[in-house]
Amino acid sequence: MIRRKTLWISLSLLGLVLLGTVVVLSSISFYLSIDTAAYLTEDEVGVPYNGSRWNATAHGKTERIPRILHQTWRSQTLPDKWKDISQECRDMMPDYEYILWTDASSREFIAEYYPWFLDTFDNYEYPIQRADAIRYFVLYHYGGVYLDLDVGCLQRLDPLLVYPVILPKTIPVGVSNDLMFAEKEHPFMRQTIDNLISWNHDWVINYPTVMFSTGPMFLSGQYALYAATHAPTPDQPGGEVRILPKSLYGKNAKPEEAPHAFFAHYYGSSWHAGDAGFIGFLGKWGKTLMWIGSVLLIIGLMRLAILGDSKRKYSLRRIGRYEIFYPRWQERSGRWYIDLGFLSVPTHSTAPSSPISLPPSPTSSLEEGEVLLPLPISVRPASPSPSEVSLLNEPPSSPTSIQPVVDAVVRTGSRIIAAIVPSSSLSSSHRSPRRPRRRGVIALLPAIFASQDMELNEHQRSPLPPQYRDAPAAPTPGPEKRRYEEDFESAGLTASALSSRVPSRVPSPPSMAGSSSAPPPYDRLEDGTYRRT
């Protein structure tokens, strides 16, 4: 039962995770999808060309984006690993104006032209958020081309300047903000800077906070909103905002997939923190993990469906704060086991032995299990089944007795207690000699719940064998026992009054009895049992 519930809980959690992941990814893919008409093609751009300066007027087009290159860094001194890459772009296009936006100049620009955004700009938690935000503002204010420092130029960008806005396609979904083209004061860029404040949320860790507040996911959301409210026109069937495909963008593409790419990528990712590694792992192996989880979910559900009819015919009972269960006999593959709920103990015999052979009946079916450890209170129907009578009368010498198992458990428990509790705290006066145990009389009920007036049910009493019914008297009590009886009397109690509340026991056999001249210590009751006098 416990394993079945654990399996149910595990499968439910796994199903919720898979369902939530599918819903989130499907929603993002749907809302951030890009219309195929928005992609630029090589034929439309007119590549390859000889690499000389490209004149838009000669091709019947208008150059809408100013020839300005924007980049950002902390100071005017670029790091050595990016300096040459940036210089190559400037050398390739010397007629382009170059502006490097530092931390200081970026803040001065925001304070002068967009003071309404200065508080948000200053309160960004991560520096990369300020580097993201400033690129949107300068593209709206001046227009031009923004390039990350890890983006190199493979050919002149002149043919791309005839489109109002160009954003690169990224994986797995949406657009990137490491490369952007925009004409001055374009409505898309205005929408982007206006939504920076409303999208500024803390997502606890670095990666999602940056991505959704100022990074690529933020820009992808702005593109989706703008494309939904600005339908393509006959003059611009692809829309005002065009998407640079992988073949022209060059990122995440093999050389043979982008022979005419405009850009080279060196993958700096300087802003990434430790959580980016985990996000990258999910991006690479996420689909595989989803498939594995789906297979495990299907296998688990099939297991529950197949084993649904083989669950136990009995259930746990609760007494106070204690869970009470009954070990059972179970047959598997022709061998008998003692099922302890969380553990199955194999036996050496092929079937549980009993001194009484009974014909099979619905009440004694072995499929229902045979109780090994009944409680000393009534937890069964008033009329016992034949299997229960057989179990109560079975002698301790049965080949399938669990006495070795019980003794092993007791010894293990004693060793654990001895290791935890100092031996000095265990007084020898509280120890009592171990009595022989027999199967079917071990009580799992704590003593605090047992009243003195509690008696065994009739089907739980073992009738005395015939040879013990007329047993001779017990020997005369010794001096030590008489001393205990005097202590009882001084306390206002008598041994007979106490013994009348204790269930009857089988008297010692005649061979163990003492002198027969003493009065019998037992009174025979009407049901055939004896009680000590």
mmCIF file of all heavy atoms in Angstrom, residues 374-380 382 392 438 440-443 445 450-463 500-506 525 527 529-530:
data_model
loop_
_atom_site.group_PDB
_atom_site.id
_atom_site.type_symbol
_atom_site.label_atom_id
_atom_site.label_comp_id
_atom_site.label_asym_id
_atom_site.label_seq_id
_atom_site.Cartn_x
_atom_site.Cartn_y
_atom_site.Cartn_z
ATOM 1 N N PRO A 374 -1.720 -11.341 15.486
ATOM 2 C CA PRO A 374 -2.977 -10.667 15.860
ATOM 3 C C PRO A 374 -2.798 -9.849 17.118
ATOM 4 O O PRO A 374 -1.908 -10.097 17.932
ATOM 5 C CB PRO A 374 -3.940 -11.832 16.090
ATOM 6 C CG PRO A 374 -3.057 -12.966 16.489
ATOM 7 C CD PRO A 374 -1.772 -12.791 15.733
ATOM 8 N N LEU A 375 -3.647 -8.846 17.288
ATOM 9 C CA LEU A 375 -3.631 -8.010 18.474
ATOM 10 C C LEU A 375 -4.403 -8.687 19.605
ATOM 11 O O LEU A 375 -5.295 -9.491 19.375
ATOM 12 C CB LEU A 375 -4.271 -6.658 18.168
ATOM 13 C CG LEU A 375 -3.502 -5.778 17.185
ATOM 14 C CD1 LEU A 375 -4.344 -4.565 16.852
ATOM 15 C CD2 LEU A 375 -2.195 -5.365 17.778
ATOM 16 N N PRO A 376 -4.130 -8.310 20.850
ATOM 17 C CA PRO A 376 -4.861 -8.873 21.983
ATOM 18 C C PRO A 376 -6.201 -8.175 22.194
ATOM 19 O O PRO A 376 -6.701 -8.151 23.298
ATOM 20 C CB PRO A 376 -3.910 -8.637 23.162
ATOM 21 C CG PRO A 376 -3.200 -7.408 22.791
ATOM 22 C CD PRO A 376 -3.009 -7.476 21.306
ATOM 23 N N ILE A 377 -6.738 -7.535 21.184
ATOM 24 C CA ILE A 377 -8.076 -6.967 21.266
ATOM 25 C C ILE A 377 -8.810 -7.378 20.013
ATOM 26 O O ILE A 377 -8.207 -7.868 19.051
ATOM 27 C CB ILE A 377 -8.041 -5.420 21.375
ATOM 28 C CG1 ILE A 377 -7.376 -4.841 20.136
ATOM 29 C CG2 ILE A 377 -7.362 -4.978 22.640
ATOM 30 C CD1 ILE A 377 -7.397 -3.354 20.092
ATOM 31 N N SER A 378 -10.088 -7.164 19.988
ATOM 32 C CA SER A 378 -10.901 -7.634 18.879
ATOM 33 C C SER A 378 -10.770 -6.687 17.708
ATOM 34 O O SER A 378 -11.227 -5.562 17.741
ATOM 35 C CB SER A 378 -12.367 -7.723 19.297
ATOM 36 O OG SER A 378 -13.168 -8.118 18.207
ATOM 37 N N VAL A 379 -10.091 -7.138 16.637
ATOM 38 C CA VAL A 379 -10.015 -6.387 15.394
ATOM 39 C C VAL A 379 -10.527 -7.242 14.239
ATOM 40 O O VAL A 379 -10.334 -6.907 13.090
ATOM 41 C CB VAL A 379 -8.564 -5.948 15.104
ATOM 42 C CG1 VAL A 379 -8.119 -4.932 16.106
ATOM 43 C CG2 VAL A 379 -7.617 -7.131 15.080
ATOM 44 N N ARG A 380 -11.164 -8.381 14.559
ATOM 45 C CA ARG A 380 -11.673 -9.307 13.566
ATOM 46 C C ARG A 380 -13.182 -9.470 13.742
ATOM 47 O O ARG A 380 -13.754 -9.001 14.716
ATOM 48 C CB ARG A 380 -11.007 -10.689 13.737
ATOM 49 C CG ARG A 380 -9.492 -10.680 13.548
ATOM 50 C CD ARG A 380 -8.961 -12.049 13.916
ATOM 51 N NE ARG A 380 -7.553 -12.149 13.645
ATOM 52 C CZ ARG A 380 -7.041 -12.541 12.500
ATOM 53 N NH1 ARG A 380 -7.845 -12.860 11.511
ATOM 54 N NH2 ARG A 380 -5.743 -12.614 12.330
ATOM 55 N N ALA A 382 -16.612 -11.317 14.771
ATOM 56 C CA ALA A 382 -16.875 -12.099 15.989
ATOM 57 C C ALA A 382 -16.698 -13.581 15.749
ATOM 58 O O ALA A 382 -16.292 -14.310 16.641
ATOM 59 C CB ALA A 382 -18.296 -11.809 16.478
ATOM 60 N N LEU A 392 -4.108 -20.195 15.473
ATOM 61 C CA LEU A 392 -3.957 -20.051 16.915
ATOM 62 C C LEU A 392 -3.515 -21.339 17.570
ATOM 63 O O LEU A 392 -2.866 -21.334 18.611
ATOM 64 C CB LEU A 392 -5.284 -19.583 17.519
ATOM 65 C CG LEU A 392 -5.698 -18.151 17.153
ATOM 66 C CD1 LEU A 392 -7.111 -17.890 17.613
ATOM 67 C CD2 LEU A 392 -4.743 -17.171 17.749
ATOM 68 N N ARG A 438 5.300 -17.535 20.954
ATOM 69 C CA ARG A 438 4.690 -18.392 19.959
ATOM 70 C C ARG A 438 3.954 -17.512 18.962
ATOM 71 O O ARG A 438 3.493 -16.434 19.290
ATOM 72 C CB ARG A 438 3.724 -19.389 20.583
ATOM 73 C CG ARG A 438 2.620 -18.767 21.382
ATOM 74 C CD ARG A 438 1.650 -19.795 21.890
ATOM 75 N NE ARG A 438 1.001 -20.475 20.801
ATOM 76 C CZ ARG A 438 0.073 -21.395 20.951
ATOM 77 N NH1 ARG A 438 -0.291 -21.732 22.156
ATOM 78 N NH2 ARG A 438 -0.480 -21.979 19.921
ATOM 79 N N GLY A 440 1.351 -15.684 16.860
ATOM 80 C CA GLY A 440 -0.053 -15.375 17.053
ATOM 81 C C GLY A 440 -0.362 -14.724 18.377
ATOM 82 O O GLY A 440 -1.514 -14.401 18.630
ATOM 83 N N VAL A 441 0.645 -14.500 19.259
ATOM 84 C CA VAL A 441 0.361 -13.882 20.555
ATOM 85 C C VAL A 441 1.229 -12.650 20.775
ATOM 86 O O VAL A 441 1.298 -12.149 21.870
ATOM 87 C CB VAL A 441 0.567 -14.882 21.724
ATOM 88 C CG1 VAL A 441 -0.408 -16.018 21.620
ATOM 89 C CG2 VAL A 441 2.011 -15.402 21.737
ATOM 90 N N ILE A 442 1.906 -12.137 19.729
ATOM 91 C CA ILE A 442 2.709 -10.930 19.880
ATOM 92 C C ILE A 442 1.814 -9.729 19.633
ATOM 93 O O ILE A 442 1.206 -9.604 18.580
ATOM 94 C CB ILE A 442 3.878 -10.928 18.887
ATOM 95 C CG1 ILE A 442 4.805 -12.109 19.198
ATOM 96 C CG2 ILE A 442 4.647 -9.624 18.947
ATOM 97 C CD1 ILE A 442 5.964 -12.200 18.247
ATOM 98 N N ALA A 443 1.701 -8.865 20.632
ATOM 99 C CA ALA A 443 0.811 -7.703 20.547
ATOM 100 C C ALA A 443 1.584 -6.518 20.013
ATOM 101 O O ALA A 443 2.643 -6.190 20.528
ATOM 102 C CB ALA A 443 0.217 -7.398 21.911
ATOM 103 N N LEU A 445 0.052 -3.579 20.008
ATOM 104 C CA LEU A 445 -0.624 -2.446 20.633
ATOM 105 C C LEU A 445 0.196 -1.933 21.806
ATOM 106 O O LEU A 445 0.622 -2.705 22.652
ATOM 107 C CB LEU A 445 -2.009 -2.871 21.134
ATOM 108 C CG LEU A 445 -2.851 -1.805 21.810
ATOM 109 C CD1 LEU A 445 -3.261 -0.758 20.802
ATOM 110 C CD2 LEU A 445 -4.071 -2.403 22.465
ATOM 111 N N ALA A 450 -4.009 -0.394 26.667
ATOM 112 C CA ALA A 450 -4.616 -1.633 27.162
ATOM 113 C C ALA A 450 -5.123 -1.423 28.582
ATOM 114 O O ALA A 450 -4.386 -1.039 29.472
ATOM 115 C CB ALA A 450 -3.589 -2.760 27.133
ATOM 116 N N SER A 451 -6.410 -1.639 28.809
ATOM 117 C CA SER A 451 -7.000 -1.504 30.144
ATOM 118 C C SER A 451 -6.860 -2.806 30.908
ATOM 119 O O SER A 451 -6.703 -3.888 30.339
ATOM 120 C CB SER A 451 -8.476 -1.110 30.029
ATOM 121 O OG SER A 451 -9.195 -2.126 29.361
ATOM 122 N N GLN A 452 -6.973 -2.704 32.211
ATOM 123 C CA GLN A 452 -6.844 -3.895 33.041
ATOM 124 C C GLN A 452 -8.030 -4.834 32.886
ATOM 125 O O GLN A 452 -7.921 -6.009 33.150
ATOM 126 C CB GLN A 452 -6.697 -3.482 34.512
ATOM 127 C CG GLN A 452 -5.394 -2.740 34.802
ATOM 128 C CD GLN A 452 -5.264 -2.405 36.267
ATOM 129 O OE1 GLN A 452 -6.212 -2.549 37.010
ATOM 130 N NE2 GLN A 452 -4.082 -1.968 36.651
ATOM 131 N N ASP A 453 -9.179 -4.311 32.472
ATOM 132 C CA ASP A 453 -10.372 -5.142 32.321
ATOM 133 C C ASP A 453 -10.450 -5.807 30.963
ATOM 134 O O ASP A 453 -11.440 -6.462 30.662
ATOM 135 C CB ASP A 453 -11.627 -4.283 32.537
ATOM 136 C CG ASP A 453 -11.697 -3.742 33.952
ATOM 137 O OD1 ASP A 453 -11.195 -4.419 34.865
ATOM 138 O OD2 ASP A 453 -12.253 -2.645 34.117
ATOM 139 N N MET A 454 -9.422 -5.622 30.118
ATOM 140 C CA MET A 454 -9.464 -6.182 28.782
ATOM 141 C C MET A 454 -9.272 -7.685 28.853
ATOM 142 O O MET A 454 -8.397 -8.186 29.562
ATOM 143 C CB MET A 454 -8.367 -5.558 27.912
ATOM 144 C CG MET A 454 -8.334 -6.066 26.488
ATOM 145 S SD MET A 454 -6.960 -5.354 25.578
ATOM 146 C CE MET A 454 -5.595 -6.125 26.474
ATOM 147 N N GLU A 455 -10.097 -8.444 28.162
ATOM 148 C CA GLU A 455 -9.983 -9.892 28.105
ATOM 149 C C GLU A 455 -9.957 -10.326 26.655
ATOM 150 O O GLU A 455 -10.452 -9.632 25.773
ATOM 151 C CB GLU A 455 -11.160 -10.566 28.837
ATOM 152 C CG GLU A 455 -11.169 -10.318 30.357
ATOM 153 C CD GLU A 455 -12.252 -11.112 31.040
ATOM 154 O OE1 GLU A 455 -12.955 -11.840 30.316
ATOM 155 O OE2 GLU A 455 -12.380 -11.011 32.261
ATOM 156 N N LEU A 456 -9.378 -11.487 26.428
ATOM 157 C CA LEU A 456 -9.316 -12.020 25.079
ATOM 158 C C LEU A 456 -10.688 -12.512 24.654
ATOM 159 O O LEU A 456 -11.490 -12.971 25.472
ATOM 160 C CB LEU A 456 -8.311 -13.171 25.014
ATOM 161 C CG LEU A 456 -6.843 -12.815 25.227
ATOM 162 C CD1 LEU A 456 -5.999 -14.082 25.235
ATOM 163 C CD2 LEU A 456 -6.372 -11.877 24.166
ATOM 164 N N ASN A 457 -10.966 -12.420 23.360
ATOM 165 C CA ASN A 457 -12.176 -13.017 22.819
ATOM 166 C C ASN A 457 -12.077 -14.529 22.887
ATOM 167 O O ASN A 457 -11.003 -15.118 23.020
ATOM 168 C CB ASN A 457 -12.390 -12.568 21.369
ATOM 169 C CG ASN A 457 -12.641 -11.083 21.297
ATOM 170 O OD1 ASN A 457 -13.200 -10.500 22.207
ATOM 171 N ND2 ASN A 457 -12.183 -10.475 20.199
ATOM 172 N N GLU A 458 -13.222 -15.164 22.764
ATOM 173 C CA GLU A 458 -13.225 -16.621 22.886
ATOM 174 C C GLU A 458 -12.381 -17.282 21.793
ATOM 175 O O GLU A 458 -11.687 -18.259 22.043
ATOM 176 C CB GLU A 458 -14.671 -17.137 22.813
ATOM 177 C CG GLU A 458 -15.519 -16.727 24.005
ATOM 178 C CD GLU A 458 -16.924 -17.296 23.919
ATOM 179 O OE1 GLU A 458 -17.194 -18.041 22.954
ATOM 180 O OE2 GLU A 458 -17.717 -17.022 24.823
ATOM 181 N N HIS A 459 -12.426 -16.711 20.589
ATOM 182 C CA HIS A 459 -11.667 -17.353 19.521
ATOM 183 C C HIS A 459 -10.185 -17.076 19.642
ATOM 184 O O HIS A 459 -9.402 -17.663 18.915
ATOM 185 C CB HIS A 459 -12.168 -16.867 18.145
ATOM 186 C CG HIS A 459 -11.832 -15.453 17.871
ATOM 187 N ND1 HIS A 459 -12.620 -14.407 18.289
ATOM 188 C CD2 HIS A 459 -10.781 -14.896 17.203
ATOM 189 C CE1 HIS A 459 -12.091 -13.280 17.894
ATOM 190 N NE2 HIS A 459 -10.968 -13.539 17.230
ATOM 191 N N GLN A 460 -9.783 -16.178 20.575
ATOM 192 C CA GLN A 460 -8.365 -15.911 20.774
ATOM 193 C C GLN A 460 -7.794 -16.710 21.951
ATOM 194 O O GLN A 460 -6.612 -16.628 22.200
ATOM 195 C CB GLN A 460 -8.139 -14.414 21.000
ATOM 196 C CG GLN A 460 -8.385 -13.579 19.772
ATOM 197 C CD GLN A 460 -8.166 -12.112 20.033
ATOM 198 O OE1 GLN A 460 -8.756 -11.566 20.977
ATOM 199 N NE2 GLN A 460 -7.359 -11.470 19.215
ATOM 200 N N ARG A 461 -8.644 -17.393 22.689
ATOM 201 C CA ARG A 461 -8.140 -18.243 23.786
ATOM 202 C C ARG A 461 -7.784 -19.620 23.246
ATOM 203 O O ARG A 461 -8.481 -20.185 22.410
ATOM 204 C CB ARG A 461 -9.194 -18.379 24.868
ATOM 205 C CG ARG A 461 -9.583 -17.065 25.547
ATOM 206 C CD ARG A 461 -10.301 -17.385 26.844
ATOM 207 N NE ARG A 461 -10.839 -16.172 27.429
ATOM 208 C CZ ARG A 461 -12.104 -15.802 27.352
ATOM 209 N NH1 ARG A 461 -12.940 -16.560 26.680
ATOM 210 N NH2 ARG A 461 -12.526 -14.695 27.920
ATOM 211 N N SER A 462 -6.720 -20.181 23.749
ATOM 212 C CA SER A 462 -6.322 -21.537 23.361
ATOM 213 C C SER A 462 -6.814 -22.511 24.424
ATOM 214 O O SER A 462 -6.400 -22.429 25.586
ATOM 215 C CB SER A 462 -4.795 -21.632 23.232
ATOM 216 O OG SER A 462 -4.359 -20.762 22.223
ATOM 217 N N PRO A 463 -7.734 -23.430 24.087
ATOM 218 C CA PRO A 463 -8.211 -24.396 25.098
ATOM 219 C C PRO A 463 -7.074 -25.281 25.578
ATOM 220 O O PRO A 463 -6.137 -25.588 24.842
ATOM 221 C CB PRO A 463 -9.273 -25.185 24.333
ATOM 222 C CG PRO A 463 -8.928 -25.006 22.895
ATOM 223 C CD PRO A 463 -8.336 -23.653 22.774
ATOM 224 N N SER A 500 -7.179 -12.211 38.955
ATOM 225 C CA SER A 500 -8.500 -12.390 38.347
ATOM 226 C C SER A 500 -8.674 -11.532 37.109
ATOM 227 O O SER A 500 -9.562 -11.776 36.302
ATOM 228 C CB SER A 500 -9.593 -12.050 39.363
ATOM 229 O OG SER A 500 -9.494 -10.691 39.744
ATOM 230 N N ARG A 501 -7.811 -10.504 36.938
ATOM 231 C CA ARG A 501 -7.909 -9.612 35.778
ATOM 232 C C ARG A 501 -6.958 -9.994 34.668
ATOM 233 O O ARG A 501 -6.913 -9.325 33.649
ATOM 234 C CB ARG A 501 -7.620 -8.165 36.186
ATOM 235 C CG ARG A 501 -8.535 -7.663 37.281
ATOM 236 C CD ARG A 501 -8.192 -6.240 37.648
ATOM 237 N NE ARG A 501 -9.024 -5.758 38.746
ATOM 238 C CZ ARG A 501 -8.933 -4.544 39.265
ATOM 239 N NH1 ARG A 501 -8.077 -3.693 38.760
ATOM 240 N NH2 ARG A 501 -9.707 -4.182 40.262
ATOM 241 N N VAL A 502 -6.156 -11.005 34.859
ATOM 242 C CA VAL A 502 -5.161 -11.400 33.884
ATOM 243 C C VAL A 502 -5.672 -12.622 33.132
ATOM 244 O O VAL A 502 -6.248 -13.521 33.728
ATOM 245 C CB VAL A 502 -3.815 -11.723 34.570
ATOM 246 C CG1 VAL A 502 -2.766 -12.119 33.535
ATOM 247 C CG2 VAL A 502 -3.345 -10.520 35.385
ATOM 248 N N PRO A 503 -5.535 -12.679 31.808
ATOM 249 C CA PRO A 503 -5.979 -13.853 31.062
ATOM 250 C C PRO A 503 -5.303 -15.107 31.579
ATOM 251 O O PRO A 503 -4.181 -15.105 32.070
ATOM 252 C CB PRO A 503 -5.560 -13.532 29.627
ATOM 253 C CG PRO A 503 -5.465 -12.040 29.592
ATOM 254 C CD PRO A 503 -5.019 -11.634 30.941
ATOM 255 N N SER A 504 -6.043 -16.225 31.471
ATOM 256 C CA SER A 504 -5.584 -17.502 32.013
ATOM 257 C C SER A 504 -4.382 -18.018 31.261
ATOM 258 O O SER A 504 -4.189 -17.739 30.091
ATOM 259 C CB SER A 504 -6.721 -18.523 31.920
ATOM 260 O OG SER A 504 -7.109 -18.695 30.575
ATOM 261 N N ARG A 505 -3.579 -18.796 31.936
ATOM 262 C CA ARG A 505 -2.410 -19.418 31.338
ATOM 263 C C ARG A 505 -2.490 -20.937 31.531
ATOM 264 O O ARG A 505 -3.183 -21.436 32.412
ATOM 265 C CB ARG A 505 -1.114 -18.906 31.970
ATOM 266 C CG ARG A 505 -0.843 -17.429 31.710
ATOM 267 C CD ARG A 505 0.489 -17.070 32.246
ATOM 268 N NE ARG A 505 0.782 -15.645 32.002
ATOM 269 C CZ ARG A 505 1.894 -15.054 32.361
ATOM 270 N NH1 ARG A 505 2.821 -15.761 32.990
ATOM 271 N NH2 ARG A 505 2.090 -13.775 32.104
ATOM 272 N N VAL A 506 -1.751 -21.576 30.692
ATOM 273 C CA VAL A 506 -1.723 -23.035 30.789
ATOM 274 C C VAL A 506 -0.866 -23.437 31.975
ATOM 275 O O VAL A 506 0.247 -22.936 32.134
ATOM 276 C CB VAL A 506 -1.151 -23.626 29.479
ATOM 277 C CG1 VAL A 506 -1.084 -25.131 29.568
ATOM 278 C CG2 VAL A 506 -2.001 -23.186 28.305
ATOM 279 N N LEU A 525 -13.312 -22.948 34.730
ATOM 280 C CA LEU A 525 -14.446 -22.126 34.326
ATOM 281 C C LEU A 525 -15.359 -22.931 33.415
ATOM 282 O O LEU A 525 -15.039 -24.050 32.992
ATOM 283 C CB LEU A 525 -13.958 -20.862 33.602
ATOM 284 C CG LEU A 525 -12.979 -19.987 34.384
ATOM 285 C CD1 LEU A 525 -12.539 -18.792 33.548
ATOM 286 C CD2 LEU A 525 -13.628 -19.521 35.688
ATOM 287 N N ASP A 527 -16.245 -22.368 30.316
ATOM 288 C CA ASP A 527 -15.812 -22.519 28.917
ATOM 289 C C ASP A 527 -14.638 -23.472 28.779
ATOM 290 O O ASP A 527 -14.037 -23.597 27.717
ATOM 291 C CB ASP A 527 -15.410 -21.161 28.340
ATOM 292 C CG ASP A 527 -14.339 -20.499 29.157
ATOM 293 O OD1 ASP A 527 -13.902 -21.095 30.161
ATOM 294 O OD2 ASP A 527 -13.936 -19.372 28.786
ATOM 295 N N THR A 529 -11.667 -23.339 30.367
ATOM 296 C CA THR A 529 -10.363 -22.767 30.709
ATOM 297 C C THR A 529 -10.227 -22.680 32.229
ATOM 298 O O THR A 529 -11.194 -22.913 32.978
ATOM 299 C CB THR A 529 -10.211 -21.381 30.085
ATOM 300 O OG1 THR A 529 -11.249 -20.540 30.587
ATOM 301 C CG2 THR A 529 -10.341 -21.456 28.565
ATOM 302 N N TYR A 530 -9.027 -22.304 32.677
ATOM 303 C CA TYR A 530 -8.734 -22.242 34.097
ATOM 304 C C TYR A 530 -8.335 -20.832 34.462
ATOM 305 O O TYR A 530 -7.804 -20.097 33.644
ATOM 306 C CB TYR A 530 -7.585 -23.209 34.433
ATOM 307 C CG TYR A 530 -8.014 -24.674 34.454
ATOM 308 C CD1 TYR A 530 -8.108 -25.372 33.248
ATOM 309 C CD2 TYR A 530 -8.324 -25.322 35.641
ATOM 310 C CE1 TYR A 530 -8.503 -26.710 33.229
ATOM 311 C CE2 TYR A 530 -8.712 -26.654 35.617
ATOM 312 C CZ TYR A 530 -8.806 -27.346 34.423
ATOM 313 O OH TYR A 530 -9.191 -28.640 34.412
#
